[in-house]
């Protein structure tokens, strides 16, 4: 919405460049049930992912970076 660009899906991406103020949804599919999942960035900031209610092997989080990371 912010830039007028459509959503993009990056499969198996480890790095992405986005416009400041944009949001990114991260989806992780695992091969066995897990109790919790976290994402830790290079600076040590930890983000907890949420389990999808209808798909127990799918974990997601939405990030809105405020600046370059």
């Amino acid at each position: 919405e912010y830039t007028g660009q459509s959503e993009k899906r990056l499969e198996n991406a480890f790095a992405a460049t986005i416009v400041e103020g944009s949001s990114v949804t991260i989806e992780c599919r695992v091969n066995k049930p897990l109790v919790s999942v976290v994402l830790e960035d290079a600076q040590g900031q930890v983000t907890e992912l949420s389990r999808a209610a209808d798909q127990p092997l799918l974990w997601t989080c939405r990030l809105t970076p405020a600046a370059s990371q």
Side-chain angles (χ1 to χ4, degrees), residues 22-43:
S22 297
S23 294
V24 175
T25 300
I26 297 176
E27 294 184 347
C28 296
R29 294 186 188 279
V30 296
N31 61 1
K32 62 181 179 180
L34 301 174
V35 174
S36 65
V37 175
V38 297
L39 177 68
E40 184 174 350
D41 67 18
Q43 291 75 34

Side-chain angles (χ1 to χ4, degrees), residues 2-67:
Y2 175 75
T3 62
Q5 296 179 2
S6 62
E7 286 188 9
K8 295 180 183 176
R9 184 175 189 96
L10 302 173
E11 300 285 339
N12 300 318
F14 290 94
T17 302
I18 64 169
V19 175
E20 187 173 320
S22 297
S23 294
V24 175
T25 300
I26 297 176
E27 294 184 347
C28 296
R29 294 186 188 279
V30 296
N31 61 1
K32 62 181 179 180
L34 301 174
V35 174
S36 65
V37 175
V38 297
L39 177 68
E40 184 174 350
D41 67 18
Q43 291 75 34
Q45 182 174 348
V46 175
T47 302
E48 291 188 35
L49 282 74
S50 300
R51 183 181 2 216
D54 59 338
Q55 298 182 53
L57 301 180
L58 176 65
W59 293 78
T60 64
C61 70
R62 188 167 184 88
L63 303 174
T64 306

